[in-house]
Amino acid sequence: MFSSTWNFLKRHKRKFIFAGAFVGGVYFLGKYAQKKIREMQENEASVYIAQARRQFHFESNQRTCNMTVLSMLPTLRESIIHHLNSENLTTLLKTKPANKLEIWEDLKIISFTRSVVAVYSTCMLVLLLRVQLNIIGGYLYLDNSVAKNVMTPLAPPDVQQQYLSSIQHLLGDGLSEMITAVKKAVQNTLGGVPLKQNMSLQDLEQHLNHIRAQVEEGGTQHRPLFCFMISDEENSLAAQACGLTANDVTTIKLLNETRDILESPDFGTVLKTCFNRGFNRFLDNMAEFFQPVSGAQGDTNTTPASLSHLSLPVAKIIPIVNGQIHSICSEIPSHFVQDLLLIDQVKEFAANVYETFSNPSELQKRSRTHRIVGRKKVWSQLGHPLPLNQVTFLLWRDTFIKYCSFT
């Protein structure tokens, strides 16, 4: 029996070899396929988790932006009131001075100037903080995920505070330059308008459009609007290079990247959208005071068409315009600020900035593009950074600490 079995195996030796090889190949191929499928599933799961973390991080960053805007609006409001103090003029008018007409003319210019400046500066504050916090947010995401094991973080806390303190330019020198430009435009547009002249809501809109055209188009001395948001002082980097620390170099890099964004056409488009929404909300607020006098019972026709025919003397419009700053720059969420924060273009632009700076593949590109050597612009506030509002900074920092613990 054994001999017959052996003879059978010898006769069919090749068949058994091929059959064994085939079965073994199928077995190992199946194992390999299972391994690859498991790896693909693990990769898909890791990608999904990474996207979920990234989305959580982004949404948390946007909430921080909103809270930071609201926390800084009182500072912005006080800065504007400090530069354009109309309260002194109103107090002086109560004493019935001899130059009453002259004081009213000054009050007219100051009132319109500070409301227009409030609209401009609030829009700029919303967008600038969106850009800065999404740049920092992108770097922090990389620090806490891709570059978690790297000894040197991309954005150390000292760099974050030094970089974010550059917002002080908008609240300081930038605001002063903006006030000068707007005041000149207001004087050119409204300087010759008599106090007793009636002005309708439509007339007010036309005057605002004339003021905006002079400010935004720059007139004869064109100055980009982003210069109000970030300093454009030029210095020789080579002359300062010997005194720069590693944190200074990183801060310069962040400022350079910020400036590149502010100079981009996309940013200009979004900024113009914010201006349009802001001035439309300002006119909506003003429309509440252009109401028809109560007449016959049941006369409640207050459509936009009817309001356009209503008018008030300029002298009565001045105090209304003068008080709009408290609605525009309110730390309590108002329709004005909410309108700006909910603009779709602002959300999309913020997402694009965050996407760019939280993408590992973009990190090396930016490192090559924004080299410190040979860069022409250095911001003067780097050497003496103004202190950022501590409450705002701690609020912003704690949000990301919570994210780090989540991850």
Side-chain angles (χ1 to χ4, degrees), residues 67 69-75 77 326-334 337:
M67 291 185 290
V69 168
L70 293 175
S71 69
M72 296 193 71
L73 282 175
T75 303
R77 182 179 65 240
H326 299 287
S327 173
I328 297 171
C329 301
S330 173
E331 66 272 24
I332 301 173
S334 62
V337 177

Side-chain angles (χ1 to χ4, degrees), residues 253-321:
K253 179 174 177 286
L254 292 176
L255 289 170
N256 287 341
E257 290 171 332
T258 303
R259 187 177 182 83
D260 288 344
I261 293 175
L262 300 188
E263 291 177 347
S264 68
D266 289 341
F267 180 83
T269 301
V270 177
L271 185 62
K272 188 68 174 289
T273 301
C274 287
F275 290 161
N276 293 338
R277 184 68 60 87
F279 281 104
N280 286 339
R281 172 53 63 179
F282 172 76
L283 288 170
D284 289 343
N285 292 345
M286 291 295 299
E288 297 177 4
F289 299 91
F290 286 79
Q291 297 294 335
V293 178
S294 299
Q297 188 175 4
D299 183 11
T300 58
N301 183 20
T302 57
T303 62
S306 65
L307 291 178
S308 64
H309 298 293
L310 298 174
S311 61
L312 292 173
V314 173
K316 288 188 177 181
I317 294 177
I318 289 173
I320 301 173
V321 173

Side-chain angles (χ1 to χ4, degrees), residues 104-313:
W104 267 104
E105 289 292 337
D106 291 341
L107 183 60
K108 176 181 67 176
I109 300 302
I110 289 178
S111 298
F112 276 91
T113 300
R114 80 176 190 172
S115 288
V116 172
V117 168
V119 174
Y120 274 130
S121 57
T122 302
C123 293
M124 292 179 181
L125 180 67
V126 168
L127 272 188
L128 181 56
L129 283 174
R130 272 285 190 277
V131 171
Q132 287 191 311
L133 291 182
N134 278 292
I135 289 177
I136 289 292
Y139 276 113
L140 283 178
Y141 175 80
L142 293 177
D143 281 339
N144 292 300
S145 56
V146 180
K148 207 167 190 177
N149 298 324
V150 179
M151 296 297 295
T152 304
L154 298 172
D158 290 343
V159 170
Q160 296 171 27
Q161 187 164 2
Q162 193 176 32
Y163 167 63
L164 292 174
S165 69
S166 64
I167 194 72
Q168 297 293 339
H169 178 77
L170 176 59
L171 304 177
D173 293 341
L175 184 63
S176 299
E177 295 171 3
M178 186 194 309
I179 289 173
T180 300
V182 172
K183 192 173 184 179
K184 181 179 178 181
V186 170
Q187 183 67 52
N188 293 338
T189 304
L190 298 173
V193 178
L195 296 171
K196 294 183 179 180
Q197 177 177 317
N198 285 339
M199 183 182 294
S200 66
L201 200 60
Q202 188 174 6
D203 295 331
L204 178 59
E205 183 177 6
Q206 290 177 353
H207 287 311
L208 287 176
N209 289 337
H210 291 156
I211 294 171
R212 288 188 59 186
Q214 295 176 64
V215 174
E216 295 171 30
E217 295 173 9
T220 56
Q221 295 180 346
H222 180 70
R223 183 172 176 80
L225 293 176
F226 67 80
C227 292
F228 299 138
M229 290 179 272
I230 191 168
S231 176
D232 64 342
E233 183 173 340
E234 297 187 12
N235 296 294
S236 172
L237 182 61
Q240 298 186 19
C242 59
L244 295 178
T245 65
N247 284 349
D248 291 338
V249 171
T250 303
T251 305
I252 292 174
K253 179 174 177 286
L254 292 176
L255 289 170
N256 287 341
E257 290 171 332
T258 303
R259 187 177 182 83
D260 288 344
I261 293 175
L262 300 188
E263 291 177 347
S264 68
D266 289 341
F267 180 83
T269 301
V270 177
L271 185 62
K272 188 68 174 289
T273 301
C274 287
F275 290 161
N276 293 338
R277 184 68 60 87
F279 281 104
N280 286 339
R281 172 53 63 179
F282 172 76
L283 288 170
D284 289 343
N285 292 345
M286 291 295 299
E288 297 177 4
F289 299 91
F290 286 79
Q291 297 294 335
V293 178
S294 299
Q297 188 175 4
D299 183 11
T300 58
N301 183 20
T302 57
T303 62
S306 65
L307 291 178
S308 64
H309 298 293
L310 298 174
S311 61
L312 292 173

Side-chain angles (χ1 to χ4, degrees), residues 268-400:
T269 301
V270 177
L271 185 62
K272 188 68 174 289
T273 301
C274 287
F275 290 161
N276 293 338
R277 184 68 60 87
F279 281 104
N280 286 339
R281 172 53 63 179
F282 172 76
L283 288 170
D284 289 343
N285 292 345
M286 291 295 299
E288 297 177 4
F289 299 91
F290 286 79
Q291 297 294 335
V293 178
S294 299
Q297 188 175 4
D299 183 11
T300 58
N301 183 20
T302 57
T303 62
S306 65
L307 291 178
S308 64
H309 298 293
L310 298 174
S311 61
L312 292 173
V314 173
K316 288 188 177 181
I317 294 177
I318 289 173
I320 301 173
V321 173
N322 187 56
Q324 287 301 306
I325 188 173
H326 299 287
S327 173
I328 297 171
C329 301
S330 173
E331 66 272 24
I332 301 173
S334 62
H335 290 298
F336 186 91
V337 177
Q338 287 179 349
D339 280 356
L340 297 179
L341 297 177
L342 296 177
I343 295 176
D344 290 336
Q345 291 92 326
V346 173
K347 294 180 180 179
E348 293 171 2
F349 188 78
N352 289 336
V353 173
Y354 182 84
E355 172 70 20
T356 299
F357 288 88
S358 63
N359 191 338
S361 63
E362 294 289 334
L363 183 61
Q364 293 182 346
K365 294 181 182 179
R366 293 198 303 274
S367 298
R368 291 194 300 267
T369 304
H370 296 94
R371 294 190 183 279
I372 299 302
V373 177
R375 182 75 183 189
K376 295 182 179 179
K377 297 182 183 295
V378 177
W379 281 262
S380 58
Q381 65 264 36
L382 177 62
H384 305 281
L386 296 173
L388 183 68
N389 182 289
Q390 292 297 317
V391 175
T392 300
F393 178 73
L394 292 174
L395 173 68
W396 177 85
R397 187 188 63 183
D398 290 345
T399 300
F400 288 110

